[in-house]
Amino acid sequence: MSNSLVLPIALPLLGALLVVALPRKMPILGALAALATTGSGLWVTAQTWLQADLGVVLGGWGLPLGIGLAADGLSAAFLAMSSLVGLGTSIYAIGYFAGSERCNHFWPLWFLLWASLNGVFLAADLFNLYVMLELLGLSAAALGALTGSRAAVEANLRYLLVGLLGSITYLLGVALLYAGYGTLDIGLLSERIQPSPLAAGALVLMVVGLALKAALFPMHFWLPPAHANAPAPVSAVLSALVVKTAFYLILRLWLDLFPAELSNAAAAFVLGVLGAGAVLWGSWRALRAERLKLLAAYSTVAQIGYLFLFFPLIQATPAGIARDDLIAACVLMALTHGFAKAGFFLAAGLVQQKAGHDRIDALGGTAQSMPATTFSIALAGSALIGLPPSGSFIAKWVMMRGAFEAGQWWWLIIISTGTLLAAAYIFRVLSRAFGQEPTPQCFLTDARAEIPALLLAFASVALLGLAAGPVWSLLGFQGAPA
């Protein structure tokens, strides 16, 4: 069954080739390739859940020369999110790009991005992770500039340059580790690495490079314009999936590679402080945003901040059930944000496409004209706030309990303030949508176009909230805390 690890990477690459070779069949081939990629990702997740960790070495060589792929509970959880969000986005894109020349550029780039996403989650050595990160950044920047507007091109050129800087910084850390330990396989490195100035320098370089890619405050300046000016399906993928890859790698390196003497309380506290800044600044800017997609982009900055608040709590908690709960809750929050932000951006794209704008103060009548879309925004918004029964409610509950038990009460203030600000900007959008004054342009949309956004938003609230126990189980921990 380990050979199935190749499929989530190979199938989207095959899909990219097919849509280029047969452009007249592009929407049909795109849908089929998306279904196949989703099926392969969910199959790997199911096998990991039922049979524990999977691994395979490609190329006919053993480690460390061969290309290793591996899946454990952590990578399988993110792979499942990539599969389901990718399927919803692909179905949405068929209608969104119908009759547009941009369709010919979207599908090949999208499948290249999807393959590199899955490659990040499955790669078992640090250099192949770098290769996948580079492919991810190049395809993401090209997709973000598909609208062709000056603002989109400028924003995504900045995104490309920042991404290259982050990748080079990460690669410098990888080079230090190879010079010191002679291997890049994560499993072998975890056995050999020892606390030393070289390992500490590698940790700093790799985390800084990945934090730049994850748009962690104050390195977030590139994210809002890049996400807000991209086409809606691209914005959904960038916010829900692409920034999660960098966070996933930081979490992976922190937990599995570097010894506790390096990933210490001081380093974790720095990440927590940066996360707190992201929560407060991102939420405040989202509250002040004039456009719906810009609000969603700044909300992403804030939600990424919550994920980094877990690091000081994980570091302060000794090994045991409490630590496991914090790690699982961190993953659950990342998954919830992925589904919620994908649904939010897809719904915002429908509003912008049908109304001709996404100005928040001019969205009166949206609830009457597009009820399912408005409901999608409300569902996704409730997950971003952290209302029950969403997965983020459970994650915040575990986080706040962990902060209380660790004596780090100051994180409680950050979490509470960020939650109140999130409620304020979500209710600001809904109050305008349900306003009595109709938008100047009457607009209606096909209900079928609203289904992907609605399902993804529903998954962030109901599915992940009710499936918290299976997430704990997939990660190899006991059931979710009461």
Side-chain angles (χ1 to χ4, degrees), residues 3 33 85 213 285 398 436:
N3 291 329
V85 171
K213 285 180 162 295
R285 291 303 303 267
V398 173
Q436 295 299 316

Side-chain angles (χ1 to χ4, degrees), residues 282-301:
S283 299
W284 176 251
R285 291 303 303 267
L287 183 61
R288 299 291 300 275
E290 297 180 355
R291 293 175 48 210
L292 187 58
K293 290 183 68 178
L294 190 61
L295 178 149
Y298 275 112
S299 173
T300 297
V301 175

Side-chain angles (χ1 to χ4, degrees), residues 10-29:
L11 288 176
L13 290 177
L14 178 60
L17 291 175
L18 289 176
V19 295
V20 171
L22 301 170
R24 294 184 179 180
K25 303 287 187 180
M26 192 170 289
I28 298 175
L29 291 174

Side-chain angles (χ1 to χ4, degrees), residues 322-361:
R323 179 183 171 90
D324 292 347
D325 286 345
L326 285 167
I327 295 171
C330 179
V331 174
L332 182 63
M333 177 167 277
L335 300 181
T336 302
H337 174 258
F339 284 101
K341 196 48 65 72
F344 196 105
F345 264 116
L346 295 185
L350 282 175
V351 172
Q352 186 179 43
Q353 193 175 52
K354 300 303 178 180
H357 67 85
D358 65 342
R359 297 188 304 276
I360 296 173
D361 289 336

Side-chain angles (χ1 to χ4, degrees), residues 45 52-53 269 340:
T45 300
D53 299 352
F269 182 77

Side-chain angles (χ1 to χ4, degrees), residues 154-234:
E154 288 180 350
N156 283 279
L157 179 59
R158 184 185 303 113
Y159 171 33
L160 177 63
L161 295 176
V162 169
L164 290 174
L165 177 61
S167 297
I168 291 172
T169 306
Y170 168 85
L171 185 60
L172 288 175
V174 172
L176 284 178
L177 290 179
Y178 186 73
Y181 302 100
T183 183
L184 295 177
D185 180 76
I186 294 176
L188 295 177
L189 264 177
S190 65
E191 298 173 357
R192 300 180 185 180
I193 195 167
Q194 297 293 329
S196 65
L198 182 145
L203 172 63
V204 171
L205 287 171
M206 295 171 77
V207 170
V208 169
L210 293 171
L212 193 60
K213 285 180 162 295
L216 177 62
F217 178 88
M219 297 171 283
H220 69 286
F221 58 90
W222 59 266
L223 186 148
H227 289 201
N229 290 292
V234 178

Side-chain angles (χ1 to χ4, degrees), residues 380-470:
S382 66
L384 298 177
I385 295 170
L387 299 178
S390 66
S392 54
F393 170 77
I394 299 172
K396 284 186 177 182
W397 178 265
V398 173
M399 192 193 324
M400 296 177 76
R401 190 181 71 180
F404 181 80
E405 293 177 352
Q408 300 182 12
W409 54 266
W410 47 87
W411 304 126
L412 298 175
I413 299 175
I414 300 298
I415 297 167
S416 301
T417 304
T419 300
L420 291 174
L421 288 172
Y425 64 70
I426 293 298
F427 283 115
R428 177 186 168 219
V429 171
L430 295 178
S431 67
R432 299 297 191 279
F434 282 93
Q436 295 299 316
E437 66 282 4
T439 187
Q441 179 179 352
C442 181
F443 53 95
L444 294 171
T445 187
D446 187 348
R448 290 175 296 178
E450 300 175 297
I451 292 176
L454 184 60
L455 290 179
L456 290 172
F458 178 78
S460 69
V461 176
L463 180 61
L464 285 173
L466 298 175

Side-chain angles (χ1 to χ4, degrees), residues 78-139:
F78 280 87
L79 184 65
M81 177 182 68
S82 171
S83 300
L84 294 174
V85 171
L87 178 62
T89 303
S90 299
I91 295 173
Y92 177 93
I94 294 173
Y96 186 88
F97 290 113
S100 172
E101 287 295 325
R102 290 179 293 171
C103 176
N104 297 330
H105 305 292
F106 170 79
W107 287 106
L109 290 170
W110 161 228
F111 283 124
L112 178 61
L113 184 144
W114 202 349
S116 55
L117 272 172
N118 292 342
V120 169
F121 297 140
L122 295 175
D125 70 86
L126 298 178
F127 182 75
N128 286 325
L129 282 172
Y130 165 75
V131 173
M132 293 299 174
L133 282 173
E134 284 292 86
L135 291 175
L136 184 65
L138 292 172
S139 54

